[in-house]
Amino acid sequence: MEAAAPTLQDIRAARQRLGDRIAETPLWHWRGDAVEQAVGRTIQVLLKLELFQHAGSFKPRGALCAMLDLSPAALRRGVTAVSAGNHAMAVGYAARSLGTTAKVVMPRTANAARVQGCREYGAEVELVDDVHRAFARVREIEEQEGRTFIHPFEGPLTALGTATLGLEICEQARELDAVIVPIGGGGLCAGVACAVKQMLPRCAVYGVEPEGADSMHRSFASGKPEKIDVVRTIADSLGAPHAAPYSFSLCRRFVDALVKVDDEAIRSAMRLLFSGAKLAVEPAGAAATAALRGPLRDRLSGKRVAVIVCGANIDPATFAKHLGVAAA
């Protein structure tokens, strides 16, 4: 059965409830020689600059939607989360803004700058061997401490939060032929696609996964949520170990097509965004741009396209390393 999707009334109410805890990020018309050489002269590229969101990514939208729904008693007990970085930072930010505490579990391979970012927002951080162990440890924290688990990508409240991003895009752009959305676990794409298809029914929505983390592709192929054994991509923010029922259902209902990009394409897109738009983004933040200049370029010729730049939580050394080996 199809999951019940948020209505436009639900989404607008959620955005009002989020208030100034969430920034309305710019939608910027990207012009110039660099982008024209990369995608052709006929595509109008509108970058949704969600890297300027609080905590450096889109993640606070879903985290805050979930936490604002907690009872006062549950909020006092605090929250917990599992993440390679962006969601953990968002939960730390959300907990601080709502006056509670967060304990987040991260894999040891997580970027050190993101771990530090979590701590700077006031979150307590536990490091474990891998993302599968991280999910198990979060369940233990829930049972032992009474904290509420804030899922990184699944559930109606998470999708309701990310749908506010789709709402903003449509209100800012007014007319669009396509929106390109990165996919990790699918929570961002589920919410954005749900909002876009209700506001602009003829606008196509494309989801983008790294080749080394393609759980949504596998799920679309089988017709049910699938998992992957290991994440093999530099875009660790998109490295969800599995798809989940609610976000999968919304993606299957509202997304027109999925494409994949490899790490080389992601690095090249990072370089393009840096040289052509002066944006220093993490690999996940460049995935949608990589899709536009790669598998979607010919398909979107002559179209007006919104491209979500979903995050920029990366340290200078890692960023420079990726650009140093990126193809032009």
Side-chain angles (χ1 to χ4, degrees):
M1 294 178 63
E2 286 188 347
T7 66
L8 285 179
Q9 183 178 1
D10 295 334
I11 298 166
R12 290 193 172 102
R15 184 62 188 92
Q16 185 173 8
R17 191 180 188 193
L18 289 170
D20 60 7
R21 293 186 177 93
I22 290 296
E24 180 176 336
T25 54
L27 185 72
W28 180 64
H29 190 174
W30 189 9
R31 302 178 177 91
D33 292 344
V35 65
E36 288 181 0
Q37 290 171 10
V39 305
R41 296 180 180 275
T42 68
I43 301 178
Q44 293 184 55
V45 183
L46 306 175
L47 296 181
K48 179 57 172 172
L49 299 176
E50 192 67 3
L51 76 165
F52 296 144
Q53 187 56 257
H54 298 296
S57 81
F58 72 93
K59 287 288 190 177
R61 294 178 185 267
L64 277 164
C65 259
M67 291 170 64
L68 284 167
D69 202 57
L70 295 177
S71 69
L75 200 59
R76 284 193 298 271
R77 289 193 296 271
V79 296
T80 186
V82 56
S83 168
N86 285 344
H87 179 64
M89 291 176 67
V91 169
Y93 163 75
R96 188 179 72 178
S97 72
L98 295 175
T100 189
T101 62
K103 179 181 283 190
V104 299
V105 183
M106 306 176 71
R108 296 187 193 282
T109 54
N111 184 282
R114 293 179 185 168
V115 175
Q116 181 60 29
C118 293
R119 290 175 172 147
E120 289 174 357
Y121 280 117
E124 181 182 348
V125 179
E126 286 193 19
L127 300 176
V128 298
D129 289 337
D130 56 48
V131 70
H132 297 286
R133 172 57 188 151
F135 274 96
R137 176 59 185 141
V138 161
R139 287 192 290 272
E140 294 172 358
I141 292 170
E142 282 185 280
E143 295 172 1
Q144 295 166 4
E145 302 183 24
R147 294 178 180 271
T148 300
F149 176 48
I150 306 301
H151 201 285
F153 55 82
E154 174 67 343
L157 291 171
T158 299
L160 182 61
T162 59
T164 65
L165 178 54
L167 176 73
E168 283 180 19
I169 291 171
C170 294
E171 290 180 340
Q172 291 168 328
R174 299 191 180 183
E175 295 181 4
L176 281 172
D177 297 304
V179 178
I180 307 176
V181 192
I183 294 180
L188 172 62
C189 194
V192 169
C194 169
V196 169
K197 284 297 189 181
Q198 292 182 75
M199 296 186 73
L200 301 172
R202 288 182 286 185
C203 178
V205 178
Y206 297 98
V208 184
E209 286 188 298
E211 287 189 351
D214 62 347
S215 59
M216 194 61 72
H217 271 83
R218 298 184 189 201
S219 301
F220 271 40
S222 71
K224 66 182 189 301
E226 298 288 354
K227 63 182 180 179
I228 55 177
D229 295 330
V230 64
V231 174
R232 298 183 179 88
T233 177
I234 60 170
D236 54 351
S237 300
L238 303 181
H242 61 268
Y246 186 81
S247 52
F248 164 68
S249 178
L250 262 58
C251 285
R252 185 171 61 171
R253 178 175 171 185
F254 293 113
V255 173
D256 292 276
L258 300 176
V259 297
K260 287 190 272 191
V261 291
D262 62 21
D263 285 354
E264 181 179 354
I266 290 172
R267 288 192 184 97
S268 295
M270 291 173 66
R271 179 171 175 169
L272 173 63
L273 286 163
F274 183 68
S275 62
K278 310 309 176 189
L279 297 174
V281 307
E282 63 181 280
T289 301
L292 179 61
R293 68 178 305 196
L296 293 176
R297 175 174 172 163
D298 292 341
R299 198 181 312 186
L300 296 178
S301 179
K303 306 296 186 182
R304 179 173 166 88
V305 182
V307 177
I308 296 178
V309 184
C310 62
N313 289 317
I314 189 169
D315 64 279
T318 303
F319 180 75
K321 179 181 177 182
H322 286 315
L323 259 62
V325 296

